[in-house]
Amino acid sequence: MMSLAGDLLLPRDRQMEIRRIKACEAMSWSALRVDFLPDIKDISQTEVDAFFQGTYPNVKEVLVALDDAQQMVGFIELNLRDNVPGSSQQTTPYIEAWFVSPDCQGQGIGKALIRAAEQWAKQQGFQELGSDAPITNEKSINLHKQLGFDEIERVVCLLKVLD
C-alpha cells in the first residue's frame, strides 16, 4: 500500500488523517459526493461500487480526509487523463473531484488533500497535476491558484442534439 501523509497537524490543533479510501467507507464517500454534486444522487453509489470493483474508468485513486473522530470530512478523486491542456506529459494525473464538508472548510483540509494528491502523482512518476473548475466557480479557481495551479484556458463547451 502506498504511503501518504499520515496524520497532518492542521490549524486550530485539529488532528487529521489523509489516506487512501477503504472499501468499508464506500457509503460515507458516496454521501459526501452527493453533498458535493447533488445531481449525482441517483448514480453516486453505483459509481462508488464500480470503483471498488475496479470497473469505474473515471477514477483511479481516492484519498480521504478523516477528522479526529475518524469521520470522513473530505475527499479527492484522481484519474489519469490523456492530452491535458498545457501539460507537457501525454498522460497526466488529474483531479476529477475535490471536496471538503462546508463545516470543515477553511481549516487546511483541502490543502492537505491537494498535497497528498501531489505526492500520489509523484509516486506514479509524474511531474504535473491537472484539474479544472466550472468557469463560474471563482472560489474553486482562486483556491487552485493559491495552491500553485496556473490557469491554462477558459472554455465554454456547446452541444446541439441533431434530429
Side-chain angles (χ1 to χ4, degrees):
M1 184 176 242
M2 168 179 58
S3 149
L4 283 172
D7 292 331
L8 298 171
L9 190 59
L10 297 173
R12 301 184 191 143
D13 295 325
R14 286 192 63 170
Q15 197 68 17
M16 186 66 45
E17 181 182 5
I18 306 291
R19 62 164 170 73
R20 295 171 94 174
I21 194 165
K22 296 177 183 175
C24 63
E25 297 164 326
M27 288 181 58
S28 295
W29 175 35
S30 181
L32 274 184
R33 292 176 91 232
V34 172
D35 287 346
F36 175 53
L37 292 173
D39 292 345
I40 67 167
K41 178 179 163 189
D42 295 333
I43 61 169
S44 181
Q45 193 62 51
T46 301
E47 291 176 346
V48 165
D49 292 343
F51 169 79
F52 284 111
Q53 294 165 4
T55 60
Y56 188 51
N58 298 332
V59 177
K60 299 286 183 220
E61 185 66 85
V62 177
L63 306 175
V64 295
L66 305 172
D67 66 13
D68 51 4
Q70 294 296 293
Q71 297 297 310
M72 190 180 301
V73 296
F75 67 88
I76 193 163
E77 298 177 5
L78 302 163
N79 200 8
L80 298 177
R81 286 193 184 183
D82 290 333
N83 303 312
V84 170
S87 178
S88 63
Q89 307 167 126
Q90 173 64 31
T91 302
T92 305
Y94 204 85
I95 298 169
E96 297 295 345
W98 173 38
F99 179 73
V100 175
S101 296
D103 58 331
C104 296
Q105 292 177 5
Q107 301 175 28
I109 298 167
K111 181 178 182 177
L113 284 165
I114 291 289
R115 297 298 177 241
E118 292 169 354
Q119 186 176 350
W120 176 81
K122 288 177 185 177
Q123 289 174 347
Q124 307 302 309
F126 295 99
Q127 299 80 40
E128 296 172 322
L129 178 63
S131 188
D132 59 43
I135 201 164
T136 57
N137 191 340
E138 287 298 324
K139 179 180 178 182
S140 180
I141 293 167
N142 289 333
L143 284 170
H144 278 85
K145 289 178 179 179
Q146 289 171 17
L147 293 171
F149 286 84
D150 293 323
E151 185 173 321
I152 302 303
E153 66 183 16
R154 289 191 177 228
V155 176
V156 174
C157 298
L158 306 162
L159 178 70
K160 179 179 181 180
V161 176
L162 302 177
D163 296 326

